[in-house]
Amino acid sequence: VGSYGPLESVKINVERGEALLVYIDAYAAGALLAEKPSMIMHSQKVELTWGKSKPVTPAVQKAVSQGATRNMYVSPVPAECQLEVLHNLFKQFGAIESVRIVRPSSTGYVNFCSIESAMAARSAFADLTADHLNPALSGTPAGSAPIQVSFTTAQQLSRSRRQVGAMGMSGGAMGMGGGAMGMGGGMMG
């Protein structure tokens, strides 16, 4: 669903079996709805409908125009770094949709549920070092190695998922929004 345009946020309501995705551009949500009034997700048919949109802040609009996304690229990830460490380090900035580590390329991907959370993480981790991902490296030359934290695109994430199976840390549910759209009739697990 992200291939229709940049997503501002994802909200999941497990109790109601619904999810809401908020697109930056209402036309992106409209294009998806026009092409796919329903989808099959996790073996269940879900209906796509319009929802109530919220205004996207000028700061988010500007950041998106400069390449901000909900998706973070983290590299190099030390070989000993576990998914839980990466997840715990980034969760302080907001809800996380998924975390993956691609071992052959020593890269990590953290997908936030909102662009604001990703923006905060990128800003806070401008000077991230390897010892934050592997405390055993603290005080060593390897521990002071810089870690790049930057925005990545849905296309780059798709390539990483094809290279290695996705290893999600938290449930992956999707809906539509912003032009807001909602999905109901089945929750993805």
Side-chain angles (χ1 to χ4, degrees), residues 4 14 36-37 40-41 47 54 74 81 95-96 155 161 173 184:
Y4 288 87
V14 176
K36 297 182 178 185
I40 302 296
M41 296 191 156
E47 302 297 322
K54 66 174 185 155
V74 182
C81 182
I96 293 176
Q155 292 79 14
R161 285 183 179 132

Side-chain angles (χ1 to χ4, degrees), residues 7 15 25 35 40 52 70 79 90 116 129 136 145 165 171 173 178-179 185:
L7 293 167
E15 292 81 29
D25 179 2
E35 188 175 316
I40 302 296
K52 185 188 264 185
R70 299 179 310 113
F90 281 85
E116 290 95 343
T129 54

Side-chain angles (χ1 to χ4, degrees), residues 52 67 119 174:
K52 185 188 264 185
M119 290 167 54
M174 295 192 191

Side-chain angles (χ1 to χ4, degrees), residues 3-178:
S3 62
Y4 288 87
L7 293 167
E8 187 273 331
S9 64
V10 178
K11 294 182 182 176
I12 302 163
N13 185 329
V14 176
E15 292 81 29
R16 293 181 60 180
E18 298 175 346
L20 177 74
L21 292 180
V22 178
Y23 280 93
I24 294 293
D25 179 2
Y27 293 105
L32 174 60
L33 186 60
E35 188 175 316
K36 297 182 178 185
S38 65
M39 300 173 78
I40 302 296
M41 296 191 156
H42 296 275
S43 303
Q44 292 184 345
K45 183 176 180 179
V46 293
E47 302 297 322
L48 304 180
T49 60
W50 285 101
K52 185 188 264 185
S53 67
K54 66 174 185 155
V56 177
T57 67
V60 169
Q61 289 176 346
K62 180 179 180 184
V64 168
S65 73
Q66 296 172 344
T69 69
R70 299 179 310 113
N71 311 307
M72 306 301 302
Y73 168 86
V74 182
S75 182
V77 173
E80 302 80 17
C81 182
Q82 299 299 311
L83 282 171
E84 295 81 12
V85 172
L86 201 57
H87 184 265
N88 289 337
L89 186 64
F90 281 85
K91 74 178 183 181
Q92 64 186 305
F93 300 102
I96 293 176
E97 180 183 342
S98 66
V99 174
R100 288 175 308 289
I101 296 175
V102 181
R103 299 285 178 196
S105 61
S106 299
T107 56
Y109 296 93
V110 178
N111 301 346
F112 282 97
C113 290
S114 76
I115 289 178
E116 290 95 343
S117 296
M119 290 167 54
R122 182 170 183 249
S123 176
F125 289 147
D127 298 318
L128 187 67
T129 54
D131 56 358
H132 288 95
L133 300 178
N134 182 0
L137 297 175
S138 186
T140 69
S144 61
I147 302 293
Q148 176 188 355
V149 177
S150 59
F151 297 114
T152 189
T153 65
Q155 292 79 14
Q156 291 167 319
L157 289 170
S158 293
R159 283 193 298 270
S160 78
R161 285 183 179 132
R162 283 192 302 269
Q163 291 171 353
V164 176
M167 301 172 171
M169 281 297 294
S170 34
M174 295 192 191
M176 289 305 113

